[in-house]
Amino acid sequence: MFAAPLRPLLARPAIRPALAALVALAAASARPALAEETGAAAPRYNGFGTLAGFAVDPADDWGFRRETTQPGHHGDDGLRVEQDTRLGLQAQWSASPQVELVGQFVFKSRADTAPLSDNIAWAFAAWHPMADWTLRLGRTSPDLFLLADVRNVGFAYPWIRPNVEFYGWVPLSSSDGLDVTHEWTTGESRWRAKLFTGTSAITLAAKQEDDTDTHVRIKWFNGGTLTMDRGSLTLKATFAEARTAAGGAADRALGREVLGAVAGLPLPVIPEQATALLESYPSGLYITRYAALGAAWEHGPWQLQAEVARLTGNFSATKGWFGYGSAAWRTGSLTFFGMAGYARDSEAPLPETNWYPVLAPIAGPALAAGAQAVADGVTSASNNARIDQHSVSAGVRWDVGPQTALKLQLDDIHTAPYGGGLWAFNTNDAHHALVLSAGMDFVF
Amino acid sequence: MLRPAFLRRLLAFCAAFAIWLPAHADIFVVVPATSTVKTMTQKEVVDIYMGRTRAFAGGEFALPFDLPRDHPGRAAFYQALTGMGPAQINSYWSRLMFSGQVMPPQPLPGEAAMADVVKRNPSAIGYVLQEPSDKGLHVVLVLKESK
């Protein structure tokens, strides 16, 4: 699954600082004693990982996925381990109290044509001109949710995986750019405000048998967060906007030309359908706006967490509401948890069209067939990606050691008609499935 | 020569007194003698050792040092400082260290190394289990360890 047409690694902007960081880390590792004398810390090497598998009931064609960047497999393929199994390696070095270099690699299931450079989750330099200011340059995690930095670190949360309805649809796992953070205290509260800007490249895994992976380039990704920590309570607000260039510009332009022509015909119903199809995707950049609120609270044995997000944009698939809530109760080395999630695209599914019988006598069989093909393609792509799903989950985490945890989780997932966008090989029918997962998380 | 009855009463009194009195050992939070930091509150030390701030109260950068993970003094320090046991502390930092935002305190081989490194580093903060006699170290906080 990692086989891909390799691009020269040095062509990626994030690779150069990553290589520079590795060289610096190697040099620092050779002289740890001197490092502490100069106010620096010795480089630290840590890692994390998950070994997990799941089975789906009913074992039908639908393929459960943790994230849309991962390929799915039919449910009747039996036990699957690739969705949640991953390995992370991290290196950090404080060259001085003001400067840090951080690199993290995450190896997990990705789209077949995803480049190797996607395994670089982080590669950044952090500078603290003052203790309460941080500038980071390089590749970081997009700060879109509470678990933005630890999304891949299973040991950091009680569940097998972050809620799929809230986290699964977000294809963005890293961005190359700059962020600035300022921290301050008011009374018992600690505040953290961040602004970020960057770009990113994403490979969305093919969802259907006859699909291919989709490569998109986020040309512009800007936003900000405001976080408050007060005791064991954390509140976070996020806003971000992304402008994305998708491939196939020539095909999209031709499709818009065909739909535009059909929308201008003096016919009942069909022109309105063509107009709806035209409005379902943009002629230029795809614009997505994201706003979210998150809260986490620990009180005694209880851990509560919830997030809600609103998505808007200039194409139908980016308008929706997403959210989840989780409650966990810890007793000794066991943590019992329950979670509920919800995701729903605001736009109704595009109606199926049947233009050929009406257009053929007017425009001829060939043009009518072409127009029908364009309509079918746009309708299928939009409806197949549409998300309308909710789930309820329950499980247990057992901390068998200070660095190892075992987990067991059962998810009850209901998908509405035209709502299976998070799944692979989904149809437009409603769907109900139970997903039983078991796994082990570890850190070192 | 003491009579046996008196000895028995004396031993009983000593045993009762020993049970009644909990064993206390002090843990000394230290900075270099050249540091501008002269005293710290327990909350300020907690914030540094739990990664909530990277600076002393006056705004100077703080570089915290730690004992090895399996050192009994480390467990005693965090218990006295935060009330959290070693498993909780390890779990807390296991989550935080992969956030990319903050690093755990740098571990050193032992107390001798701790004293040596802290006194030679102007930003350092560390802890030792006995009152330091080295004039290169300055005690900013004393924690009581309860057993």
Side-chain angles (χ1 to χ4, degrees):
Chain A
M1 70 186 68
F2 296 107
L6 297 179
R7 287 178 277 173
L9 291 182
L10 289 177
R12 292 297 309 278
I15 301 303
R16 299 193 199 99
L19 290 176
L22 287 174
V23 171
L25 279 168
S29 298
R31 305 190 306 169
L34 286 176
E36 281 135 11
E37 291 175 11
T38 59
R44 244 82 72 81
Y45 303 97
N46 300 98
F48 55 87
T50 298
L51 293 171
F54 69 89
V56 183
D57 179 44
D60 56 17
D61 282 345
W62 285 47
F64 178 75
R65 297 190 299 174
R66 171 178 172 144
E67 299 163 8
T68 55
T69 54
Q70 296 179 296
H73 295 265
H74 294 287
D76 54 9
D77 285 351
L79 179 70
R80 305 301 311 183
V81 299
E82 78 287 342
Q83 291 292 318
D84 300 298
T85 296
R86 55 202 57 207
L87 176 66
L89 301 173
Q90 181 170 308
Q92 288 179 281
W93 179 45
S94 287
S96 72
Q98 290 87 2
V99 176
E100 293 164 353
L101 300 177
V102 183
Q104 186 186 93
F105 297 84
V106 177
F107 303 100
K108 62 181 184 180
S109 169
R110 299 181 191 274
D112 291 341
T113 59
L116 283 181
S117 59
D118 282 4
N119 294 309
I120 302 173
W122 300 342
F124 66 84
W127 176 45
H128 309 288
M130 288 172 284
D132 52 357
W133 284 91
T134 303
L135 278 72
R136 300 192 306 175
L137 177 67
R139 175 169 291 188
T140 59
S141 299
D143 199 2
L144 298 176
F145 7 76
L146 289 176
L147 303 180
D149 292 324
V150 294
R151 187 176 176 184
N152 291 307
V153 187
F155 194 83
Y157 39 79
W159 334 285
I160 287 276
R161 65 188 73 84
N163 177 258
V164 172
E165 283 82 26
F166 190 84
Y167 284 83
W169 66 270
V170 182
L172 189 61
S173 60
S174 65
S175 69
D176 301 331
L178 169 73
D179 64 43
V180 179
T181 304
H182 176 50
E183 300 173 66
W184 70 96
T185 302
T186 58
E188 294 295 315
S189 302
R190 289 179 295 113
W191 297 84
R192 189 164 61 252
K194 175 190 288 186
L195 296 175
F196 52 82
T197 182
T199 65
S200 186
I202 299 168
T203 303
L204 298 171
K207 277 168 54 58
Q208 302 291 344
E209 299 284 5
D210 52 355
D211 279 351
T212 57
D213 296 340
T214 301
H215 298 271
V216 299
R217 177 80 187 164
I218 299 181
K219 304 181 76 170
W220 194 85
F221 174 64
N222 293 358
T225 66
L226 180 64
T227 306
M228 186 210 76
D229 294 297
R230 186 185 178 93
S232 57
L233 173 67
T234 296
L235 300 175
K236 182 173 183 176
T238 304
F239 176 78
E241 179 174 306
R243 301 195 175 189
T244 305
D251 290 341
R252 287 190 292 120
L254 177 60
R256 291 190 70 82
E257 192 177 329
V258 170
L259 293 174
V262 174
L265 293 174
L267 294 170
V269 181
I270 290 178
E272 292 173 7
Q273 292 179 336
T275 300
L277 294 178
L278 271 173
E279 292 174 351
S280 70
Y281 69 102
S283 58
L285 293 176
Y286 288 71
I287 298 175
T288 309
R289 296 186 184 90
Y290 171 92
L293 292 174
W297 185 46
E298 289 195 30
H299 182 68
W302 289 98
Q303 304 165 31
L304 306 177
Q305 185 163 315
E307 297 184 78
V308 61
R310 171 65 177 158
L311 205 63
T312 60
N314 67 348
F315 60 111
S316 59
T318 57
K319 298 174 185 176
W321 284 95
F322 306 83
Y324 77 96
S326 169
W329 181 70
R330 180 176 56 232
T331 174
S333 59
L334 294 176
T335 302
F336 297 92
F337 62 85
M339 181 165 59
Y342 176 82
R344 189 168 190 274
D345 283 347
S346 302
E347 297 288 303
L350 294 172
E352 304 289 339
T353 59
N354 188 20
W355 294 352
Y356 182 84
V358 177
L359 294 182
I362 302 173
L367 289 178
Q372 184 68 68
V374 170
D376 288 347
V378 174
T379 302
S380 173
S382 178
N383 290 344
N384 196 254
R386 190 174 177 278
I387 301 172
D388 189 348
Q389 174 174 305
H390 67 273
S391 71
V392 177
S393 308
V396 60
R397 166 179 169 147
W398 179 23
D399 284 89
V400 296
Q403 295 171 267
T404 309
L406 300 178
K407 297 176 181 176
L408 186 66
Q409 178 171 326
L410 180 66
D411 302 285
D412 185 358
I413 304 174
H414 292 260
T415 306
Y418 298 95
L422 292 174
W423 295 71
F425 315 113
N426 57 303
T427 66
N428 291 331
D429 301 323
H431 188 257
H432 175 219
L434 296 176
V435 179
L436 181 64
S437 309
M440 179 181 72
D441 295 313
F442 55 91
V443 296
F444 56 90
Chain B
M1 182 169 171
L2 296 174
R3 285 184 285 181
F6 175 80
L7 277 176
R8 285 195 293 272
R9 285 198 292 272
L10 179 61
L11 286 171
F13 174 78
C14 291
F17 192 76
I19 292 170
W20 175 65
L21 274 183
H24 282 283
D26 291 341
I27 301 173
F28 301 86
V29 181
V30 293
V31 298
T34 54
S35 172
T36 58
V37 179
K38 297 307 173 191
T39 183
M40 296 180 68
T41 64
Q42 186 162 344
K43 182 182 183 305
E44 289 168 348
V45 178
V46 169
D47 284 347
I48 289 174
Y49 270 89
M50 300 299 279
R52 297 169 188 163
T53 180
R54 56 176 63 88
F56 294 107
E60 307 90 350
F61 281 99
L63 193 59
F65 290 94
D66 207 348
L67 289 175
R69 180 189 290 264
D70 54 358
H71 195 292
R74 179 178 184 269
F77 170 71
Y78 281 104
Q79 183 69 49
L81 182 67
T82 66
M84 295 168 68
Q88 280 183 288
I89 288 292
N90 292 339
S91 177
Y92 174 86
W93 275 111
S94 292
R95 292 193 299 270
L96 208 58
M97 76 168 68
F98 296 111
S99 71
Q101 309 282 350
V102 64
M103 296 173 65
Q106 174 77 24
L108 296 170
E111 287 185 74
M114 175 80 79
D116 186 51
V117 169
V118 169
K119 72 181 179 183
R120 290 188 287 118
N121 192 317
S123 304
I125 178 172
Y127 58 92
V128 292
L129 305 180
Q130 294 180 344
E131 186 166 11
S133 56
D134 190 331
K135 297 230 183 316
L137 295 174
H138 174 71
V139 177
V140 292
L141 179 69
V142 179
L143 297 170
K144 298 290 184 184
E145 175 196 359
S146 296
K147 293 187 179 176

